[in-house]
Amino acid sequence: MESKPNILMERYELGRLLGQGTFGKVYYARSAVTNQSVAIKAIDKDKVMRTGQGDRIKREISVMKLARHPNIIQLFEVMATKSKIFFVIEYAKGGELFNKVAKGKLKEEVAHKYFKQLINAVDFCHSRGVYHRDIKPENILLDENGNLKVSDFGLSALVESKQQDIMLHTPCGTPAYVAPEVIKRKGYDGAKADIWSCGIVLFVLLAGYLPFHDSNLIEMYKKISKAELKCPSWFQPEVCKLLGDILDPNPDTRISIAKIKEHNWFKNVPNARNKKPQVENNTVSSSGTIVSDQNNENDGLEAEAKEDSVVPISINAFDIISLSSGFDLSRFFKDNVEKRETRFSSKLPASVIISKMEDIAKQLRMKIKKKAAGLLKLEGFSEGRKGVLSIDTEIFEVTPHFHLVEVKKSNGDTLEYQKILKEDIRPALQDIVWVWQSDQQLQSQLSDQQLQIHDQQQQQSQS
Ligand code: ATP
Ligand code: MG
């Protein structure tokens, strides 16, 4: 018998499990609307709640929604159900970068390319005040073109709570990428800690093994704290020097990203040093070294070029659905069903929406109490059980032809309001509504159940 595809929140067809982290699972999925491949990270809400980081996560999410960089896994939208938060993110088809290292150390120019892309991504986020704090193999992915994509940027609130008990349980495997000052649990600078982790990544790419390692955790901590770096014989002196500056146990003297970017090894494609200049693609710099300006997507230069042109995203219908839940994630953290307002998006101008609400008022024999920019207040004539019923309609302009509308009760009896909403207002609005946002929430309970069924099906098919 053919099983029905699992559709999450009516919009994503769930596929195989891509991996599992501390806070939840990551699935492959496909948008039922655009057919685009995505990854969905499902986090248990109560695990986040326990960390008391709800507000910070919301803030970080809103930052990440506006930031786009070719080497950062993009966050498309955030959805939530009663028990889970779903991050819909860019799918990295190439999987983890370190699967490549598992097959042996990388060539210097390949490691150079990835390191450059990594530093560009980290620099971009730091310039926007976002620190990763958990740069490690599982978070460095590759897309289908072999370009590096850093994931989990913007989720550092989750990381922080994890680090609080890093010494106690190390729930997520190895702390090998964590800076000494983080291990020592001193207050630390997120930027400096990220730079350290990038240094460990570079070492592993070039060497094929960790610089500070021991099977005994306490011994490993000691090695990280001392940071006695031994570069293998095949490392170029220049890269050894750079690694020494990055893996400086003292965060105050550790090299900055700006200085890394000025470093000779960083600026010059390593392999080009031994090659003859190729007239078309390479130029000889004033110092006599050959600089490739072959701007293909593989050498990280494109990332740099695009970086300058990064602007807040222009909003589209897809974003609106996501923003409307992303802005107000608090509703999902509390289960506040009674006060829930009704929201919808409309493709009609504000004037049409307002005159529609005025028609509804007439029909319901309610008077128009106030009409201001973007706000319409309706009031009943008769006293109900809890006073006069009043209904507010607020209209938020996204573009002149795209509005988010919120309808809510501001006074009166809830039951009476809900009855009117269901029987009169919603049907009357039907022809101006594009999407009912609240339906997404009704979907949520269903989706929780679907996810469970999906997991069970996968387990069955594996066994
Ligand atoms: P943590 O819980 O500390 O964040 P983690 O980073 O390993 O650990 P997740 O971020 O939940 O946990 O990711 C789990 C795994 O899923 C990753 O190791 C990675 O292999 C895979 N994965 C995550 N995001 C994507 C993505 N966008 N595309 C493809 N695979 C991904
Ligand atoms: Mg991750």
Side-chain angles (χ1 to χ4, degrees):
M1 197 179 71
E2 208 185 326
S3 63
K4 250 174 115 187
N6 262 295
I7 306 282
L8 186 71
M9 311 295 270
E10 274 188 331
R11 277 183 295 147
Y12 294 97
E13 196 179 308
L14 273 186
R16 69 180 191 284
L17 189 68
L18 293 171
Q20 176 139 27
T22 319
F23 292 94
K25 294 174 177 168
V26 179
Y27 302 85
Y28 171 80
R30 201 192 280 272
S31 163
V33 184
T34 62
N35 216 25
Q36 182 189 22
S37 290
V38 296
I40 294 188
K41 182 167 182 162
I43 290 179
D44 284 338
K45 225 188 244 179
D46 59 332
K47 285 195 187 161
V48 181
M49 289 304 288
R50 244 181 275 144
T51 68
Q53 298 276 11
D55 280 340
R56 277 203 45 202
I57 290 167
K58 265 187 282 171
R59 204 182 62 223
E60 291 184 1
I61 288 168
S62 53
V63 173
M64 287 323 293
K65 272 203 163 142
L66 295 176
R68 278 193 188 182
H69 188 276
N71 299 115
I72 292 174
I73 290 281
Q74 202 192 323
L75 175 62
F76 294 128
E77 69 172 314
V78 183
M79 307 183 297
T81 64
K82 211 157 178 255
S83 65
K84 291 204 160 51
I85 301 172
F86 298 106
F87 293 92
V88 181
I89 55 182
E90 188 179 344
Y91 169 55
K93 199 176 177 187
E96 291 174 24
L97 166 64
F98 281 70
N99 289 336
K100 293 204 160 188
V101 191
K103 293 176 198 142
K105 63 180 163 52
L106 303 184
K107 282 191 190 142
E108 194 182 1
E109 69 266 28
V110 179
H112 179 266
K113 167 190 123 174
Y114 290 137
F115 182 67
K116 230 175 149 165
Q117 294 187 339
L118 175 64
I119 290 293
N120 284 335
V122 171
D123 187 29
F124 174 84
C125 284
H126 286 184
S127 70
R128 280 154 182 78
V130 180
Y131 305 98
H132 195 297
R133 302 175 209 222
D134 197 20
I135 295 172
K136 57 174 183 178
E138 292 83 354
N139 286 332
I140 304 180
L141 308 171
L142 296 176
D143 69 8
E144 71 266 33
N145 302 315
N147 283 315
L148 180 143
K149 298 266 176 181
V150 186
S151 83
D152 290 350
F153 241 123
L155 296 180
S156 63
L158 289 178
V159 176
E160 204 166 78
S161 60
K162 209 169 64 183
Q163 280 173 354
Q164 279 165 8
D165 51 16
I166 193 168
M167 288 295 274
L168 300 174
H169 339 283
T170 56
C172 47
T174 167
Y177 292 77
V178 176
E181 69 272 19
V182 179
I183 290 173
K184 287 182 189 141
R185 306 228 257 159
K186 289 183 182 166
Y188 69 93
D189 173 347
K192 291 293 172 121
D194 280 351
I195 293 172
W196 171 280
S197 307
C198 291
I200 304 281
V201 169
L202 175 58
F203 187 98
V204 174
L205 295 180
L206 288 166
Y209 59 83
L210 285 161
F212 313 119
H213 185 67
D214 202 290
S215 54
N216 178 309
L217 212 58
I218 300 298
E219 290 306 314
M220 176 139 86
Y221 288 139
K222 282 188 192 157
K223 286 182 181 171
I224 293 172
S225 300
K226 277 199 224 145
E228 282 167 6
L229 185 70
K230 286 192 204 90
C231 287
S233 58
W234 60 87
F235 278 26
Q236 299 282 342
E238 259 183 344
V239 75
C240 251
K241 172 80 179 55
L242 175 61
L243 279 165
D245 293 344
I246 299 177
L247 299 174
D248 176 347
N250 179 356
D252 297 330
T253 49
R254 191 174 302 150
I255 190 171
S256 66
I257 290 204
K259 285 272 173 340
I260 293 176
K261 287 181 136 182
E262 282 170 18
H263 196 280
N264 250 342
W265 186 82
F266 187 89
K267 285 196 297 195
N268 300 324
V269 181
N271 212 27
R273 271 180 278 239
N274 311 322
K275 278 186 190 162
K276 285 196 180 125
Q278 283 170 6
V279 181
E280 273 177 19
N281 295 325
N282 297 325
T283 50
V284 180
S285 75
S286 53
S287 62
T289 44
I290 299 150
V291 183
S292 166
D293 61 5
Q294 199 179 351
N295 221 354
N296 69 30
E297 77 263 74
N298 292 330
D299 63 10
L301 294 172
E302 192 190 50
E304 245 173 1
K306 274 190 189 161
E307 197 175 316
D308 286 332
S309 59
V310 172
V311 285
I313 48 173
S314 70
I315 217 153
N316 61 29
F318 189 60
D319 294 324
I320 291 167
I321 299 170
S322 56
L323 282 171
S324 60
S325 49
F327 273 147
D328 192 9
L329 215 58
S330 58
R331 289 183 299 133
F332 300 120
F333 287 106
K334 299 182 212 101
D335 283 316
N336 200 344
V337 178
E338 215 223 359
K339 275 197 188 145
R340 199 173 64 198
E341 60 287 309
T342 303
R343 288 172 176 206
F344 62 88
S345 47
S346 175
K347 290 193 204 171
L348 296 167
S351 57
V352 178
I353 299 167
I354 291 187
S355 63
K356 188 77 197 179
M357 284 309 293
E358 286 171 343
D359 288 350
I360 292 174
K362 254 188 232 156
Q363 211 183 315
L364 292 171
R365 296 202 191 86
M366 291 179 87
K367 61 174 179 262
I368 292 156
K369 184 84 194 304
K370 189 176 166 193
K371 200 169 145 185
L375 177 72
L376 191 70
K377 265 185 172 305
L378 306 183
E379 210 175 76
F381 284 101
S382 56
E383 284 274 328
R385 208 162 52 90
K386 286 189 189 158
V388 180
L389 179 67
S390 43
I391 300 173
D392 289 357
T393 304
E394 254 189 290
I395 302 170
F396 304 94
E397 181 181 286
V398 183
T399 73
H401 296 284
F402 214 114
H403 294 86
L404 260 184
V405 185
E406 196 173 279
V407 180
K408 62 173 181 244
K409 182 201 80 169
S410 57
N411 193 46
D413 183 52
T414 304
L415 278 181
E416 182 191 359
Y417 168 69
Q418 280 177 346
K419 189 164 179 286
I420 291 180
L421 184 67
K422 187 165 166 248
E423 293 174 7
D424 302 289
I425 301 180
R426 280 183 67 125
L429 286 171
Q430 207 47 53
D431 49 329
I432 68 160
V433 169
W434 185 60
V435 177
W436 286 102
Q437 303 296 318
S438 44
D439 288 349
Q440 276 177 250
Q441 285 170 53
L442 297 177
Q443 264 293 313
S444 83
Q445 282 173 8
L446 263 177
S447 296
D448 268 348
Q449 291 161 7
Q450 271 173 351
L451 197 65
Q452 276 176 8
I453 295 167
H454 181 75
D455 282 349
Q456 281 163 7
Q457 281 172 351
Q458 289 229 318
Q459 276 166 11
Q460 276 164 12
S461 69
Q462 273 162 16
S463 58

